[in-house]
Amino acid sequence: MPFSSNRKPRGLRWRSSVWFITTVVGFGITTDLLVYSIIIPVLPFQLERLSYHKVSSLTGWLLCAYSGGLVLSTVPIAMHSERYSMRRMPLIFGLIALIGSQVMFMEAPNYAVMAIARVLQGISSSVVWIVGLALLCDTTPEKNVGKQLGIAMTGLSVGLLVGSPAGGALYTRFGFRAPFIFGSICAVVDLLLRLLVIERSVALKWGYDPSEPSAVVIKEAPDASSTPDIQLSSIPIAHVHGSTDPETNEVEEPTVPDKSRLPNARKLSIARRSIIDPALTQRPIPLLSVIFKLSQSPRALVALTMAFVYGLVQSMQEPSLPLHLQSVWRFNPDRVGLAYLAAVVPALISSPLAGFYVDRAGSDYITCICLLLALPWWIVMTLQHSLALFIFALAAQCFFVSGVVAPVTTELASVSRKMAGVGYAHVYGAFNLAFGIGTAVGPVIGGQIYDRARHGWTALCCITSALIVICVTLAFCYTGADPLLAKVLRHHYPIDSIRKNPDEESSSTDNTSRTHIVSRV
């Protein structure tokens, strides 16, 4: 429902605030992961009850169907959101599609309808991961992007935390429909929150900038015309996302004159991508141009590679972990859900912690540390002598692997701010595409290896360890404005040829100035 152009929305400040947007996006991620994971511990048992064979492979294909819908919908959603600068309405329509997919899966008479429902669910998931993260970055001050993304990403762990145990318990006590009814209730709550969202562009029209809530607004005198006459003062250059300068990829922004020279006026802080001056407005660029620009950035390519590996690693174990627990320790759906619960709880704090330290230390350190500390636990998980050790290793790897998500998403936001014409929806669309491809092939690979290999679970753990080693190497060489490899080389070989790339310096070191617009009184 569009906002009226002549009536100020109620609750403008809190409905457009950074913390409310963070809460909505975080809860949206929670709902998405809850709906995704709530059937993981029960689906293999339900397929067995329906007399299907090769259950691990069939489960993998259903999870693949979800990822297929996610991948196929990513490009049109990202391009549409960035072209029309729409965030709120796609989030609402995506959630309606999610509720529909839940009902379809719950009433599915056969395997084919289940697959179609999972495709629809994947499409709705694309919206929150692309449009939701773009909305959060639109609203959040640049210096706090890592922290807010880290907080929102706790929704990933919370969704897995609630989904898997709830799915097993509800299935055991109330039958197959119960998990889907629970997921639909959560989706309705999410829908109500999304209906309350006010985008930053709307808030700016009413003289309020949620990214700078303490800013004062320069307005016309009370008796002035309802349409202010806007003028810009000529001033210094600032480094701002959304520029169209072909050489610097940065915007030249004016600053406000001395307040004492402006009678009956208050200061107005305007968006990084101005909605008033067409010269400062980001122009949409074609899909191929976006792909070409991203492919020229090693930082973007490495971040997208890690998104792919993260999706692959997480999804490879989904069809096989319940069967491994059942085979070795005779777990039922309830106990499988509890195993997921024990694994995911520590991850609740890893994502916000990682986001907090990314804003202070940089994404390069956090990414490499988390990956290195996750590696040994995958080797421990091949042991079958102690259930307690296995659960502890599962929790430890989940803690450190989840800590990689905040640095990767922050890295993509930083890349977007340095590329003319490439918006947040573009980079998070690419993130979603890479993650979706990983989650599409992961369940199939995991299910096939577990069913066909003599020691399927051991093989999966070894493959995951090798992928983590590759990611550590790439992160060491390319992650961050000033990668760790460059720092090591400068330390041991302090020569002029080894220095920071000026085009990729972290935005936190830039002395940025905001666009200010002055209305004649």
Side-chain angles (χ1 to χ4, degrees):
M1 64 185 173
F3 294 108
S4 171
S5 59
N6 55 11
R7 174 177 291 183
K8 182 178 179 179
R10 293 183 179 180
L12 172 67
R13 287 182 174 266
W14 68 265
R15 290 169 62 187
S16 63
S17 67
V18 172
W19 284 105
F20 181 70
I21 299 298
T22 303
T23 301
V24 173
V25 174
F27 190 79
I29 294 174
T30 299
T31 302
D32 175 60
L33 268 295
L34 182 147
V35 168
Y36 174 82
S37 63
I38 201 168
I39 68 168
I40 291 176
V42 307
L43 192 55
F45 301 97
Q46 174 70 5
L47 292 174
E48 285 180 348
R49 192 180 70 83
L50 296 174
S51 302
Y52 284 101
H53 303 289
K54 296 185 178 179
V55 168
S56 180
S57 297
L58 290 176
T59 303
W61 283 112
L62 277 180
L63 298 176
C64 178
Y66 166 91
S67 300
L70 185 147
V71 169
L72 292 175
S73 62
T74 289
V75 172
I77 289 173
M79 298 304 294
H80 183 275
S81 176
E82 201 62 39
R83 178 176 295 274
Y84 299 103
S85 297
M86 293 177 62
R87 310 295 194 212
R88 179 173 171 271
M89 292 310 297
L91 285 171
I92 293 172
F93 289 135
L95 203 52
I96 293 173
L98 178 63
I99 295 172
S101 71
Q102 288 288 92
V103 175
M104 181 183 293
F105 203 114
M106 181 174 62
E107 300 298 332
N110 53 48
Y111 186 83
V113 177
M114 289 182 179
I116 295 173
R118 291 293 281 180
V119 170
L120 184 60
Q121 185 181 329
I123 294 173
S124 67
S125 177
S126 290
V127 177
V128 70
W129 283 101
I130 298 171
V131 184
L133 293 183
L135 173 65
L136 182 56
C137 289
D138 286 340
T139 309
T140 305
E142 191 174 314
K143 63 181 181 179
N144 295 329
V145 166
K147 181 179 72 173
Q148 298 304 126
L149 282 172
I151 293 171
M153 286 300 168
T154 57
L156 193 154
S157 299
V158 172
L160 293 174
L161 173 68
V162 177
S164 297
L170 290 170
Y171 176 78
T172 301
R173 288 165 176 76
F174 303 107
F176 183 64
R177 287 185 173 88
F180 299 97
I181 294 174
F182 179 72
S184 298
I185 293 172
C186 294
V188 170
V189 175
D190 192 8
L191 178 60
L192 295 177
L193 289 175
R194 296 187 191 189
L195 288 170
L196 292 174
V197 165
I198 295 178
E199 296 183 45
R200 184 168 182 259
S201 59
V202 175
L204 287 169
K205 295 176 183 178
W206 295 100
Y208 177 68
D209 186 352
S211 66
E212 290 187 4
S214 60
V216 195
V217 180
I218 297 181
K219 283 188 177 179
E220 64 211 294
D223 58 345
S225 169
S226 60
T227 305
D229 187 13
I230 304 297
Q231 65 180 6
L232 299 177
S233 58
S234 62
I235 307 283
I237 297 176
H239 298 186
V240 178
H241 167 62
S243 160
T244 54
D245 189 323
E247 294 183 2
T248 65
N249 286 346
E250 292 163 354
V251 176
E252 296 185 1
E253 297 189 291
T255 61
V256 70
D258 187 354
K259 180 182 175 183
S260 63
R261 301 180 184 178
L262 297 171
N264 302 321
R266 294 181 293 148
K267 289 162 81 177
L268 173 61
S269 176
I270 292 302
R272 288 179 286 267
R273 288 173 291 179
S274 173
I275 59 173
I276 297 179
D277 188 347
L280 299 179
T281 303
Q282 175 177 303
R283 297 180 179 178
I285 62 176
L287 173 62
L288 292 178
S289 299
V290 173
I291 295 174
F292 179 74
K293 283 176 174 288
L294 290 177
S295 66
Q296 289 183 310
S297 170
R299 291 177 68 185
L301 291 178
V302 169
L304 295 176
T305 299
M306 284 190 280
F308 167 78
V309 172
Y310 178 77
L312 181 67
V313 166
Q314 292 295 96
S315 60
M316 274 200 307
Q317 62 177 312
E318 287 168 355
S320 52
L321 180 58
L323 297 175
H324 178 69
L325 291 171
Q326 181 190 41
S327 172
V328 179
W329 289 288
R330 301 294 186 266
F331 271 33
N332 59 21
D334 277 346
R335 298 186 70 192
V336 170
L338 290 175
Y340 275 105
L341 178 66
V344 173
V345 167
L348 290 175
I349 61 173
S350 64
S351 187
L353 276 178
F356 178 82
Y357 284 110
V358 162
D359 286 335
R360 286 153 180 77
S363 55
D364 46 358
Y365 287 104
I366 304 301
T367 303
C368 290
I369 289 172
C370 286
L371 289 172
L372 283 172
L373 294 178
L375 181 59
W377 299 110
W378 282 97
I379 306 301
V380 174
M381 286 170 61
T382 61
L383 305 177
Q384 301 181 7
H385 304 295
S386 170
L387 176 60
L389 179 61
F390 181 88
I391 298 298
F392 182 83
L394 185 65
Q397 69 82 20
C398 188
F399 177 87
F400 292 115
V401 170
S402 297
V404 177
V405 180
V408 168
T409 51
T410 305
E411 186 81 345
L412 288 172
S414 179
V415 169
S416 173
R417 288 191 293 269
K418 302 296 178 270
M419 289 187 178
V422 177
Y424 293 126
H426 290 142
V427 292
Y428 289 128
F431 169 84
N432 199 54
L433 186 63
F435 177 79
I437 293 173
T439 56
V441 300
V444 177
I445 294 174
Q448 294 294 328
I449 291 177
Y450 187 84
D451 279 343
R452 299 175 185 276
R454 183 176 180 182
H455 301 286
W457 179 254
T458 301
L460 289 175
C461 291
C462 291
I463 291 171
T464 299
S465 300
L467 291 172
I468 291 177
V469 169
I470 294 173
C471 287
V472 170
T473 305
L474 292 175
F476 182 78
C477 296
Y478 297 107
T479 294
D482 187 26
L484 292 178
L485 176 62
K487 293 175 182 175
V488 171
L489 291 177
R490 278 201 308 276
H491 178 74
H492 292 285
Y493 307 99
I495 57 178
D496 293 337
S497 59
I498 304 175
R499 60 181 60 181
K500 293 183 182 179
N501 184 346
D503 290 334
E504 293 193 349
E505 286 189 355
S506 175
S507 57
S508 62
T509 60
D510 293 338
N511 294 321
T512 61
S513 63
R514 310 282 298 206
T515 305
H516 290 82
I517 295 184
V518 181
S519 301
R520 279 206 296 264
V521 220

